[in-house]
């Protein structure tokens, strides 16, 4: 029997439909032009240069705000494709030291490269997807953001949480029987992950009912209000004074 019959489909077929754009954000490293190994990218000073490039292009003067905005783009490139693929029964190889990164002209991340296309998996349990993502990748990036840009880990985890929350909710196909439409709720309420490690996403997001409307809110502000020309994240913002701001 042909072994190819048991191989998972290519990434292009996993990233299809409304999430086809994920294929432009995460691909094989062999197909990603002008990319650097992630470990070298942070160790060589290229990360600091990327922040300088973004700051010059967009007028940002607060280093923490610039680094936070950079991390938002990074986490969206990583977390959304990872969750979307897992929900399509594909576990992607996301070890930090095996991946590559490519940047846009303004220094922001535009795509991440993988060493191979991954393998079959069952991705219905969000908490079960977190130990590989946290232990093999996010912990390293959060450490790098702290060491090279002074970004507080609690801010970095909150930035990552937003995209994990979005991706899991957007791919939910089985509405809760008890009327709770927040598919990723458990990730923000459990003390520990399934492997027994502390849950870094605990409390990062919460749902509040206001004026008869359920609103999702961050625990820690992403500091985007310190960057010129960047619109507010609205009701999601942790700062009440920033929720109605529009730039």
């Amino acid at each position: 029997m042909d072994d190819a019959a048991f191989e998972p489909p290519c990434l292009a077929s996993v990233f299809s439909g409304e999430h086809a754009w994920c294929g432009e954000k995460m691909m094989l490293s062999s197909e990603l032009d002008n990319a650097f190994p992630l470990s070298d990218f942070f160790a060589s000073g290229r990360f600091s240069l990327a922040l300088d490039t973004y700051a010059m292009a967009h007028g940002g003067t607060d280093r923490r705000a610039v680094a936070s905005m950079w991390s938002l783009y990074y986490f969206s490139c990583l977390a959304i494709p990872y969750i979307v693929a897992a929900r399509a029964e594909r576990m992607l190889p996301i070890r930090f030291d095996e991946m590559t990164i490519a940047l846009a002209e303004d220094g922001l991340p535009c795509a991440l490269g993988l060493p191979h296309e991954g393998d079959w998996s069952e991705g219905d349990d969000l908490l079960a997807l977190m130990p590989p993502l946290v232990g093999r990748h996010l912990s390293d990036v959060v450490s790098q953001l702290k060491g090279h840009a002074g970004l507080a880990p609690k801010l970095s985890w909150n930035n990552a949480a937003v995209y994990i929350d979005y991706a899991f909710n957007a791919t939910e196909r089985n509405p809760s029987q008890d009327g709770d439409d927040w598919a990723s709720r458990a990730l923000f309420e459990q003390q520990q992950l399934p492997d027994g490690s502390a849950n870094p996403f605990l409390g990062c997001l919460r749902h509040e009912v206001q004026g008869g409307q359920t609103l999702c809110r961050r625990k820690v502000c992403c500091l985007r209000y310190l960057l010129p020309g960047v619109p507010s994240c609205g009701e999601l913002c942790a700062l009440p004074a920033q929720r109605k701001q529009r730039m």
Side-chain angles (χ1 to χ4, degrees):
M1 185 175 292
D2 187 357
D3 290 341
F6 295 97
E7 295 177 359
C10 65
L11 284 180
S13 63
V14 173
F15 299 139
S16 60
E18 63 183 307
H19 294 108
W21 60 269
C22 287
E24 300 176 359
K25 299 300 180 181
M26 186 171 281
M27 63 190 74
L28 292 176
S29 290
S30 60
E31 300 174 353
L32 184 57
D33 295 332
N34 301 315
F36 307 99
L38 271 175
S39 53
D40 292 345
F41 172 73
F42 284 100
S44 66
R46 287 192 177 97
F47 171 56
S48 293
L49 179 58
L51 296 186
D52 292 339
T53 301
Y54 175 81
M56 288 188 292
H58 298 281
T61 57
D62 188 292
R63 191 71 166 178
R64 294 174 307 144
V66 169
S68 180
M69 179 59 68
W70 192 94
S71 79
L72 286 168
Y73 277 76
Y74 184 93
F75 292 137
S76 69
C77 288
L78 175 74
I80 298 176
Y82 175 77
I83 296 296
V84 168
R87 300 281 263 178
E89 300 184 331
R90 170 72 62 86
M91 181 59 69
L92 298 179
I94 40 80
R95 287 187 64 91
F96 175 82
D97 57 2
E98 294 180 349
M99 292 177 63
T100 58
I101 183 172
L103 304 179
E105 290 185 0
D106 62 359
L108 291 175
C110 65
L112 295 173
L114 303 173
H116 57 84
E117 293 186 321
D119 206 348
W120 293 107
S121 73
E122 295 182 4
D124 289 334
D125 185 347
L126 179 58
L127 288 174
L129 295 176
M130 290 302 102
L133 183 62
V134 171
R136 299 174 190 172
H137 198 114
L138 287 178
S139 292
D140 286 296
V141 175
V142 169
S143 178
Q144 296 290 349
L145 292 169
K146 170 65 174 176
H148 293 289
L151 202 63
K154 62 182 180 180
L155 173 51
S156 294
W157 289 115
N158 215 151
N159 283 353
V162 170
Y163 295 109
I164 294 171
D165 178 64
Y166 160 76
F168 197 77
N169 291 325
T171 52
E172 178 58 43
R173 298 294 181 263
N174 299 305
S176 172
Q177 298 300 312
D178 60 9
D180 184 0
D181 60 358
W182 192 13
S184 59
R185 178 185 296 277
L187 180 62
F188 306 107
E189 296 183 349
Q190 296 294 321
Q191 296 280 344
Q192 294 181 320
L193 297 179
D195 63 354
S197 62
N199 179 9
F201 303 110
L202 177 64
C204 281
L205 296 179
R206 67 185 187 279
H207 277 195
E208 296 180 350
V209 177
Q210 182 175 309
Q213 182 180 8
T214 300
L215 303 172
C216 184
R217 293 206 167 123
R218 296 172 56 112
K219 181 179 182 179
V220 181
C221 176
C222 70
L223 305 179
R224 67 170 61 208
Y225 72 94
L226 296 174
L227 298 172
V230 177
S232 164
C233 59
E235 294 293 346
L236 181 64
C237 188
L239 303 179
Q242 293 297 321
R243 290 173 189 160
K244 303 301 181 181
Q245 298 294 321
R246 291 292 185 271
M247 298 183 184

